[in-house]
Amino acid sequence: MQRYSYFLSISVSLLINLLSLKSAIAASNLKIDLTKPIESTAETLSNLPKENLAPDPVVIAQTINPTPSEIIVPLPKDPDAPEIQQPAQPPESKPAEPKPPELPKPAIADPDVSKKLLDAIILNAIGNSSNRLPWVVNPASNLLESTTSFTPAKTENYTDIDAQYRDDQLLIREFDFAHFPKPDQFYWVLPKNRVVIETRGWQAGIDYQGQERIVEIEQRIKLTQALWGLQAVWSLPQPFRDLYGKTDTSQFTIQTISGEINNPPGVAAAPVVINNPTLSPTAVRIAPPPSLSSGSSNTSNGGSSLFQFLEPENAPLILQAYPTSNLQPLLEAEGLFVGSKIPQSALEAARIGWKNPFTGEGESTAPIMSSLPGIKIGQLGKFDNLDLLNILVNPSLNLSERNLAYFNSLFWIPLGQRSPQILRTKITEADDRFWHRLSLNQPHNRTLLQYDATRPQATYTNVFANPGFSISFSMKKGQVNDLQSLNSSLGLLLGGVFSFVRPKELTQSLEESRDLYDRREPFSGIVTQATSNQRSAINQRLNRGLYYANTTSGIKQISGTITFPSTITPGHAELFQIRVGNQRRLARFLQTESTWIPGETYFSRLELSNRDFGQLSFIGTPVPSGLTGLTPNRSSATQVVIQAPDGQEFVQDFSSSSPDYTVVPIGIRSSDIAFDRIELSQIGRSKTRVNRFEGYLFLPAVEAMLSGSSGKWNYAVNSGVWFNLNGDAAFDVATNNVGNPEPTVGIYLNSLVNHIDTRVINGSNGQPKAVVSLVPSLRLSWSSVPNSSNPAYLNLSYTYARQQDDLNYSLTPGFFLSYSRDRVEPAGFFEGQLRFKSGLEFRSSLELSDQFFSGFEALQRLSVIWSAGLYIQNYRSTESLISRESALSYGIILRNRSSRGFAWRSRLGMSGDSFEVRLEGGYQF
């Protein structure tokens, strides 16, 4: 949106550029000379164009950054252009002003009469010079609309106002009041071709700074996080060759002999040999059957006892693919079902945390690791996670036991907290206020212009001091902001330094002229070899240089200026200045303060394999002992002799070191894998206070300026530095934690160059028939701290304007390129104006970037003082008056230019769905 604002300001500036051509051409033939101070004001005004062709500032939406004059500078008057008869206008109805009396040669005896006569001459001289050279005489900090014609002989007070009414809100965009008492204005012509001008007064102003809006937002927000449970297990087969064996049982007499050797670990035990002397040589030896149950899953001394009765070397080998995490505290919930609430103590024990959705503060979820992956012996005491071992091999667990073991058997991976889901929002506008800036200054302007006696040139020296102070306030609550008041006041107080700057030539000339005034001496004459036309060209080139210096400056409100002695010729001028004051910088600050009230955590999704994961199945199988490679440190033996009634003996030897058989569990269901998911949710409440400011900051700045012209070329270059006492705060936005960041110090560079080529087209009678002006312009602005609100930019435009006796028209295409934070945004634009002899005029503007904006205005002169028309555009200013937004706006235009000291222009119509009135005007009294 901001680049549209920039381009919009380009549009307005170009209209000013185009429409001021008429004034530039019409006034170019005037013979203007500061050396004729008592020339009749009425005669002078009769030579000036009757109507100012500068476009009304509301043709395009205002209060945008940069301002129109900061983008494209309107053309000053061209003294070399011939006069072309303007479209006919009725004569003004105001009476001709009386010609001021000339100083009589004989002395006047009455000193009071003499003083009054001399004062009248001085005031008329200032008024005449102001009409011709407004920027040379300008008494105010910035040239006000009402002081473009400074007439101290008639008025002491000058007022400008720009106000807007919309949505039941009356806003003052800008208000200026200047008071210049007649006794404080001074003008004199001294010997040696010196002209001094000194003006003093008071100036007060109100500037719109921006809008601050405070909004409170209450929301119900759902937070969700998930844990992904993974586990994979396999049983590894034992190497063996043959599996065989047989079993036989009968009822016999039993004789048992036992023996045991138990060595320390690592010391192999020798076989226990039992010698039974009572055993018959014919006894039949029976191979001992292996204990197969100890190697089977579904037996009490097998899987149910976690294979603790097997030799460790014979126990199942299990490959655990993932580590395990312990979430057993979650079983303290109301149950394993969706919606079951979980106590906060259980979450803390399981190391499950929630983060604040606004600040990111809080604990992360990180379940405790209970075991690592690896190849493990599936036997009690040999497996490092008893819960996982039970899940895998113990078929006797009930559901409660399985759940407990299950929550410590998987690798629970936190998937993080999802983006918050807003369930309900309630917005309350807590406060809405507009900020303004009140400033009070004491402008004091001192000027010395000295013409060379032999060469066509003049030397210009000026010191302007405008110290003051400023207060930033809100009309709604009468609140004063200390920070912005201090920022702006510092910029104004810097101008106080120039009150003590007293260039020698300027100071001596003023003192000498005051002495001559006290003695009631007449003005001295101008004695120079330069012609009247040459002096007029010098004056106009000086005025043009000051015009470009002021309109391209980076300082919005000047509190002090010194122009070092500068040489001006009819074809060349160069001015060097040091300026201080306030730079206006656009700021968009946003502060948010949120309070998060968490809710109760509950299961929102359960995808569990707690009932069927694991349950690996094994069956015990006898294997020849010699094939196992066992080296036990313990050995035992038992011999059982069974004697039948007929004396037949049967012998069975049981020996741990017997080379016969051992039991090995063989996997039946040898693997399993789990992909499970747990989702936890909570519904919390947030209370957020959003404080947003969009508007202007007036910051202290110091600037160096070089402005001048050579032939048809004009240029201006200025560079400065500004600072902010606190770049992170603006009005009630104490901390700009979300909006565009603002630095505390910045450096800027602005430059402008244009070429004014005026061509005269003569008619068949040899008289000028038309004037065509070709004006290419280039404007560049660089900043050390560009952002989207204050970008660096380049603007290139070309104006073609034609003026003839029955109509005037102009066309201006252009290209605008802005840069901020590695982002380049181009825009193209076109401006046009057409004005007929009847007083009917049309103005239009087009803008093309990623959006399209247009405006059209028609105005008809109804009488000497009244004009009326229509306007329509597809945009309007936002509520903050800073940016634009798409909305159809249309209405009527009324303009009044009275001869009684005031002029105003108003637009009344619809702005989107709101009724809007805009009033701009000035008044002298």
Side-chain angles (χ1 to χ4, degrees):
M1 178 65 72
Q2 184 61 34
R3 60 174 178 271
Y4 307 139
S5 299
Y6 300 147
F7 181 75
L8 189 54
S9 60
I10 297 172
S11 304
V12 180
S13 302
L14 287 175
L15 283 174
I16 297 173
N17 188 352
L18 303 178
L19 300 177
S20 62
L21 285 175
K22 176 180 177 181
S23 297
I25 296 171
S28 61
N29 68 323
L30 296 178
K31 311 304 181 183
I32 300 175
D33 197 338
L34 284 172
T35 64
K36 299 179 180 179
I38 60 174
E39 182 180 350
S40 170
T41 302
E43 291 178 356
T44 302
L45 293 177
S46 66
N47 291 327
L48 293 175
K50 295 295 187 295
E51 192 167 352
N52 180 16
L53 287 184
D56 298 302
V58 292
V59 174
I60 306 295
Q62 299 299 293
T63 63
I64 50 182
N65 189 61
T67 59
S69 62
E70 291 176 324
I71 298 288
I72 292 297
V73 178
L75 299 180
K77 296 178 181 181
D78 185 353
D80 301 321
E83 181 179 9
I84 299 296
Q85 180 64 38
Q86 300 298 305
Q89 303 178 35
E92 302 235 3
S93 60
K94 69 177 183 178
E97 299 180 10
K99 190 172 183 179
E102 297 183 1
L103 286 175
K105 294 181 180 178
I108 299 177
D110 190 343
D112 292 335
V113 174
S114 176
K115 181 178 183 303
K116 289 181 180 179
L117 180 59
L118 188 56
D119 289 343
I121 294 173
I122 290 174
L123 295 177
N124 275 291
I126 295 176
N128 290 339
S129 299
S130 176
N131 285 330
R132 300 163 179 167
L133 308 169
W135 288 99
V136 176
V137 183
N138 177 29
S141 60
N142 294 89
L143 190 62
L144 306 179
E145 183 69 23
S146 58
T147 60
T148 53
S149 179
F150 182 49
T151 55
K154 298 188 299 181
T155 57
E156 291 185 333
N157 303 302
Y158 303 83
T159 302
D160 288 346
I161 187 170
D162 181 0
Q164 175 177 309
Y165 173 85
R166 186 172 74 184
D167 293 331
D168 298 326
Q169 180 74 47
L170 177 62
L171 286 178
I172 297 176
R173 288 175 175 261
E174 190 171 3
F175 174 82
D176 287 290
F177 174 79
H179 175 64
F180 294 97
K182 293 180 181 181
D184 292 340
Q185 319 313 314
F186 187 73
Y187 179 102
W188 204 266
V189 181
L190 295 163
K192 299 182 181 179
N193 303 325
R194 291 171 295 165
V195 178
V196 292
I197 305 174
E198 183 176 22
T199 59
R200 292 175 182 266
W202 292 90
Q203 183 176 354
I206 296 177
D207 296 295
Y208 175 75
Q209 284 205 260
Q211 180 191 36
E212 182 179 359
R213 171 168 291 179
I214 300 175
V215 176
E216 293 181 352
I217 304 173
E218 185 172 348
Q219 295 176 314
R220 288 179 61 83
I221 299 177
K222 180 180 180 180
L223 302 182
T224 300
Q225 63 173 307
L227 296 103
W228 187 22
L230 296 178
Q231 195 53 270
V233 291
W234 292 269
S235 64
L236 303 178
Q238 297 279 1
F240 58 90
R241 299 178 193 166
D242 300 319
L243 296 175
Y244 63 90
K246 70 178 181 177
T247 303
D248 190 11
T249 60
S250 57
Q251 297 295 322
F252 296 99
T253 302
I254 298 174
Q255 180 187 30
T256 303
I257 302 173
S258 299
E260 181 182 28
I261 299 176
N262 193 350
N263 290 338
V267 179
V272 177
V273 179
I274 298 176
N275 294 316
N276 188 355
T278 64
L279 186 62
S280 171
T282 61
V284 178
R285 292 188 175 273
I286 303 172
S291 179
L292 301 180
S293 64
S294 62
S296 299
S297 294
N298 295 316
T299 59
S300 59
N301 62 344
S304 297
S305 60
L306 305 181
F307 297 117
Q308 59 180 307
F309 299 109
L310 290 177
E311 293 292 341
E313 291 79 359
N314 290 354
L317 288 179
I318 298 176
L319 172 61
Q320 177 185 333
Y322 297 100
T324 56
S325 309
N326 191 352
L327 293 185
Q328 289 176 339
L330 295 185
L331 293 174
E332 296 180 23
E334 297 174 343
L336 290 180
F337 58 87
V338 174
S340 173
K341 296 180 181 179
I342 307 171
Q344 180 63 30
S345 59
L347 296 174
E348 294 174 357
R351 295 181 62 179
I352 294 177
W354 294 97
K355 289 191 174 183
N356 188 307
F358 299 99
T359 65
E361 298 176 350
E363 298 295 331
S364 300
T365 295
I368 300 174
M369 302 291 292
S370 56
S371 68
L372 298 175
I375 298 176
K376 304 177 181 181
I377 299 174
Q379 188 180 52
L380 180 65
K382 301 298 182 179
F383 205 94
D384 58 354
N385 187 335
L386 184 60
D387 291 318
L388 178 57
L389 180 61
N390 270 294
I391 282 288
L392 296 179
V393 302
N394 189 353
S396 303
L397 299 177
N398 58 36
L399 181 59
S400 177
E401 293 171 335
R402 281 192 61 83
N403 288 340
L404 183 64
Y406 167 81
F407 274 89
N408 189 28
S409 297
L410 274 61
F411 181 34
W412 296 102
I413 303 174
L415 298 182
Q417 192 168 304
R418 295 179 186 170
S419 298
Q421 179 183 356
I422 300 175
L423 303 179
R424 188 181 67 187
T425 300
K426 179 182 178 182
I427 301 177
T428 304
E429 187 171 313
D431 196 6
D432 189 5
R433 69 186 71 173
F434 295 90
W435 289 93
H436 290 78
R437 184 181 70 107
L438 172 65
S439 59
L440 182 63
N441 304 78
Q442 188 179 19
H444 180 201
N445 199 10
R446 292 167 285 163
T447 300
L448 170 63
L449 182 61
Q450 184 173 12
Y451 296 92
D452 192 277
T454 59
R455 291 175 293 180
Q457 68 179 37
T459 301
Y460 172 80
T461 306
N462 174 264
V463 177
F464 176 67
N466 187 39
F469 67 92
S470 174
I471 296 175
S472 294
F473 67 98
S474 171
M475 295 182 181
K476 185 174 182 180
K477 295 185 177 182
Q479 183 179 357
V480 175
N481 184 264
D482 297 337
L483 174 61
Q484 299 309 320
S485 297
L486 185 57
N487 263 331
S488 181
S489 294
L490 282 176
L492 298 181
L493 290 173
L494 287 175
V497 175
F498 293 85
S499 298
F500 304 96
V501 176
R502 303 180 182 274
K504 181 178 180 180
E505 291 293 332
L506 174 59
T507 303
Q508 289 179 350
S509 297
L510 281 172
E511 292 175 350
E512 182 182 347
S513 63
R514 289 289 184 181
D515 182 63
L516 294 173
Y517 170 79
D518 293 338
R519 300 200 307 264
R520 305 296 184 262
E521 297 287 341
F523 290 166
S524 300
I526 296 295
V527 181
T528 176
Q529 295 183 9
T531 65
S532 177
N533 287 341
Q534 287 176 326
R535 291 199 305 270
S536 175
I538 289 173
N539 296 339
Q540 286 290 353
R541 196 166 286 276
L542 170 61
N543 189 67
R544 182 188 304 178
L546 294 173
Y547 169 79
Y548 281 122
N550 282 274
T551 52
T552 62
S553 173
I555 296 180
K556 173 65 176 177
Q557 183 181 25
I558 299 172
S559 63
T561 301
I562 178 172
T563 305
F564 295 93
S566 305
T567 301
I568 315 296
T569 69
H572 178 81
E574 189 169 86
L575 305 170
F576 180 71
Q577 296 180 333
I578 299 296
R579 296 166 167 249
V580 296
N582 285 320
Q583 185 186 67
R584 190 177 71 172
R585 185 171 174 85
L586 179 58
R588 289 185 171 91
F589 281 14
L590 188 64
Q591 177 183 5
T592 61
E593 297 176 351
S594 299
T595 301
W596 172 248
I597 304 174
E600 291 185 291
T601 303
Y602 62 93
F603 290 118
S604 56
R605 182 178 177 183
L606 292 173
E607 295 180 0
L608 308 178
S609 59
N610 56 316
R611 294 178 178 270
D612 52 16
F613 175 69
Q615 298 186 3
L616 303 183
S617 299
F618 299 91
I619 184 171
T621 303
V623 176
S625 299
L627 301 179
T628 64
L630 298 176
T631 56
N633 67 314
R634 180 181 178 183
S635 64
S636 61
T638 298
Q639 184 181 78
V640 179
V641 179
I642 303 173
Q643 185 175 20
D646 58 0
Q648 179 67 46
E649 292 180 333
F650 299 88
V651 180
Q652 190 171 36
D653 290 313
F654 298 91
S655 175
S656 61
S657 58
S658 173
D660 295 333
Y661 298 97
T662 188
V663 176
V664 175
I666 302 300
I668 304 301
R669 184 173 183 264
S670 59
S671 65
D672 201 0
I673 191 168
F675 289 93
D676 295 355
R677 189 182 189 90
I678 296 176
E679 286 189 3
L680 306 176
S681 298
Q682 65 162 293
I683 298 178
R685 291 186 301 117
S686 72
K687 293 183 178 180
T688 304
R689 182 181 175 90
V690 180
N691 192 349
R692 181 179 185 270
F693 171 78
E694 183 178 29
Y696 298 107
L697 307 178
F698 288 81
L699 306 175
V702 179
E703 177 183 279
M705 164 72 75
L706 180 66
S707 175
S709 61
S710 180
K712 297 181 179 181
W713 289 95
N714 304 279
Y715 62 90
V717 179
N718 62 77
S719 180
V721 58
W722 56 265
F723 64 92
N724 190 345
L725 295 176
N726 186 351
D728 200 35
F731 299 97
D732 287 338
V733 180
T735 304
N736 180 32
N737 55 6
V738 181
N740 291 339
E742 273 291 305
T744 55
V745 178
I747 301 174
Y748 64 89
L749 172 68
N750 297 319
S751 63
L752 164 74
V753 61
N754 68 13
H755 182 268
I756 304 176
D757 184 9
T758 302
R759 303 176 183 179
V760 180
I761 301 176
N762 295 323
S764 57
N765 58 359
Q767 297 298 317
K769 177 182 178 182
V771 174
V772 174
S773 295
L774 309 175
V775 187
S777 299
L778 177 65
R779 179 76 189 272
L780 177 66
S781 177
W782 173 85
S783 172
S784 63
V785 284
N787 56 31
S788 59
S789 300
N790 304 275
Y793 61 83
L794 180 146
N795 183 82
L796 178 64
S797 64
Y798 185 87
T799 298
Y800 174 87
R802 182 182 177 93
Q803 176 187 344
Q804 54 195 52
D805 59 355
D806 56 346
L807 63 85
N808 301 336
Y809 68 90
S810 60
L811 305 171
T812 302
F815 176 75
F816 182 77
L817 191 68
S818 66
Y819 167 82
S820 61
R821 293 183 182 176
D822 300 326
R823 183 178 181 182
V824 178
E825 299 184 57
F829 61 92
F830 178 82
E831 299 292 329
Q833 182 215 6
L834 175 64
R835 181 175 181 180
F836 294 96
K837 185 176 182 179
S838 63
L840 177 64
E841 56 185 286
F842 300 97
R843 299 168 184 173
S844 64
S845 63
L846 302 174
E847 173 193 333
L848 181 62
S849 53
D850 57 349
Q851 295 190 45
F852 176 74
F853 289 93
S854 63
F856 176 80
E857 179 182 302
L859 193 65
Q860 173 65 55
R861 187 178 62 250
L862 304 178
S863 66
V864 175
I865 63 175
W866 284 99
S867 298
L870 302 172
Y871 72 91
I872 184 172
Q873 58 194 38
N874 67 345
Y875 58 87
R876 69 171 184 174
S877 59
T878 58
E879 190 174 354
S880 66
L881 306 184
I882 303 299
S883 304
R884 289 188 304 177
E885 60 186 3
S886 296
L888 180 62
S889 301
Y890 56 91
I892 63 174
I893 303 171
L894 296 176
R895 185 175 67 189
N896 180 283
R897 291 179 175 175
S898 172
S899 60
R900 298 180 180 179
F902 67 89
W904 56 268
R905 171 190 170 105
S906 178
R907 296 207 312 176
L908 303 89
M910 298 301 297
S911 178
D913 56 357
S914 302
F915 178 69
E916 180 179 271
V917 178
R918 179 80 177 274
L919 176 65
E920 297 171 277
Y923 182 50
Q924 299 181 4
F925 59 96

